[in-house]
Amino acid sequence: MAIILDYQLREQVPHDVEKFPITYFCDELAALPNWAGPLHWHPDFEIATAVSGVLDFQVGQHHVILKAGDSILVNGNILHGIKQLSGDIPDPMPNIVFSGALIASETSDIYQKYIQPVANCDALPFIVFDQKNSWHNEVNRLVKNVYGLMSEQGQCYEMAVQRELSSIFQCIFSNFDELPKTENTRIQINTQIRIQKMLSYIREHYAEAVTLEEIARSANISRSEAGRCFNAYVGCSPVDALIQHRLQVAHRLIKDTTRSLQEISYSCGFNSVHYFSRQFRKTYGYTPGQYRALGK
């Protein structure tokens, strides 16, 4: 299932929050251009695993390299994105997005004692579980069990998933003091908030004639400050980020609709089909027409 984002860039996770607040994904990268997912965020925890390739998991300004067998937990409301760095085929990258309330009610002693300290720790935007640490390997085993349970959905699988997630957080809490912490300054926190506001504006208005000043104004900052924020987190200018999002939307429309390339170009905010085609080829290595003809 491909990553689906609403206009505020919060991932639309289709799980029933009241009944069983967890969703399992697999093979997402195969549906994403260049096997790379855009920066996004959601209030839930996320755990993902590299299966066969090498993955670059961006969390905030940090780039975490996951090798086959490594997993990562991303805390809630943290900007994150993914890109595959190696491998001839897209990595399956199984992952789960879930609420801590699945383990225990937010008003319970269990949640407040064991889940909340992790969820509310600003210095812990992510945890990497590699294969060089014994308790990390135990978490990786438990995570793999959850993937299997969510995929098969056999009898009483919900109870088994809850049990495995509880064991994962027991491991995390028991080793909490030894986890590497990241000090986030007020400036860094404010920068991330600004990025979230500007990315949300781009996703909502990409089809319009958007200016740099309008993007900056959405976060109540100057154009130069907007450029600094984007370079720090996204590695490009705000206008380049706008163009890349337009191309991502166009890429999906070419694959999933029969609309003409001209219609797609204009609907994605490009005033020139030639410019659209040139930017598309520059980014993906083939023209829009080639992509549609080859069924990429």
Side-chain angles (χ1 to χ4, degrees):
M1 180 182 294
I3 293 175
I4 303 174
L5 305 175
D6 67 10
Y7 77 90
Q8 290 183 317
L9 209 62
R10 293 181 179 88
E11 195 169 357
Q12 294 179 356
V13 182
H15 58 234
D16 191 316
V17 175
E18 296 296 328
K19 294 182 179 179
F20 194 52
I22 181 172
T23 304
Y24 169 69
F25 301 98
C26 194
D27 296 319
E28 285 188 293
L29 290 176
L32 294 171
N34 294 339
W35 303 343
L39 285 174
H40 60 285
W41 73 92
H42 41 69
D44 297 327
F45 294 108
E46 179 170 345
I47 298 179
T49 303
V51 175
S52 57
V54 176
L55 306 180
D56 176 2
F57 225 100
Q58 181 179 350
V59 185
Q61 289 182 275
H62 302 276
H63 286 266
V64 182
I65 303 302
L66 296 185
K67 298 180 181 178
D70 294 344
S71 300
I72 185 171
L73 180 145
V74 180
N75 219 329
N77 293 313
I78 301 294
L79 277 170
H80 59 285
I82 181 67
K83 182 177 182 179
Q84 183 165 335
L85 299 181
S86 71
D88 296 330
I89 59 174
D91 193 293
M93 197 191 73
N95 63 99
I96 49 174
V97 179
F98 62 96
S99 168
L102 173 60
I103 301 172
S105 168
E106 293 182 1
T107 59
S108 69
D109 287 344
I110 290 177
Y111 186 94
Q112 295 180 20
K113 188 174 181 179
Y114 302 111
I115 311 301
Q116 190 166 285
V118 178
N120 290 353
C121 185
D122 291 336
L124 197 65
F126 63 90
I127 305 172
V128 176
F129 306 105
D130 59 36
Q131 302 176 64
K132 301 177 182 178
N133 184 298
S134 58
W135 78 266
H136 285 193
N137 277 332
E138 173 62 11
V139 170
N140 284 327
R141 184 187 69 80
L142 293 166
V143 168
K144 186 176 181 180
N145 289 347
V146 175
Y147 295 153
L149 290 164
M150 291 298 298
S151 177
E152 298 170 9
Q153 297 193 8
Q155 187 177 25
C156 301
Y157 82 96
E158 298 97 336
M159 297 176 69
V161 167
Q162 184 186 49
R163 183 173 62 247
E164 301 294 73
L165 288 177
S166 181
S167 295
I168 289 172
F169 272 80
Q170 181 178 351
C171 288
I172 293 173
F173 186 83
S174 298
N175 297 276
F176 190 81
D177 290 340
E178 74 175 62
L179 291 172
K181 307 298 194 299
T182 302
E183 292 299 327
N184 287 316
T185 65
R186 175 51 55 184
I187 292 177
Q188 290 173 320
I189 294 173
N190 286 338
T191 298
Q192 174 161 297
I193 293 172
R194 289 168 173 173
I195 284 288
Q196 289 173 327
K197 289 180 178 179
M198 290 187 287
L199 287 176
S200 294
Y201 184 86
I202 287 174
R203 268 59 182 188
E204 184 178 5
H205 297 280
Y206 70 89
E208 305 168 14
V210 178
T211 66
L212 173 57
E213 184 174 359
E214 289 169 334
I215 295 173
R217 191 186 305 137
S218 69
N220 296 314
I221 57 178
S222 66
R223 290 179 297 178
S224 60
E225 180 64 13
R228 188 193 68 78
C229 290
F230 267 85
N231 282 323
Y233 275 81
V234 190
C236 66
S237 71
V239 173
D240 285 339
L242 169 64
I243 293 172
Q244 288 305 309
H245 180 68
R246 286 170 168 169
L247 291 173
Q248 289 167 1
V249 175
H251 195 278
R252 185 173 67 248
L253 291 175
I254 292 171
K255 178 182 179 182
D256 297 339
T257 73
T258 58
R259 296 168 64 181
S260 71
L261 297 181
Q262 185 178 45
E263 288 177 320
I264 291 174
S265 171
Y266 292 153
S267 70
C268 291
F270 293 101
N271 293 325
S272 165
V273 177
H274 176 71
Y275 178 75
F276 162 61
S277 181
R278 182 156 52 87
Q279 291 296 321
F280 195 96
R281 182 170 186 172
K282 178 181 177 181
T283 299
Y284 301 122
Y286 41 81
T287 67
Q290 290 171 332
Y291 176 61
R292 171 163 282 174
L294 297 176
K296 284 182 175 287

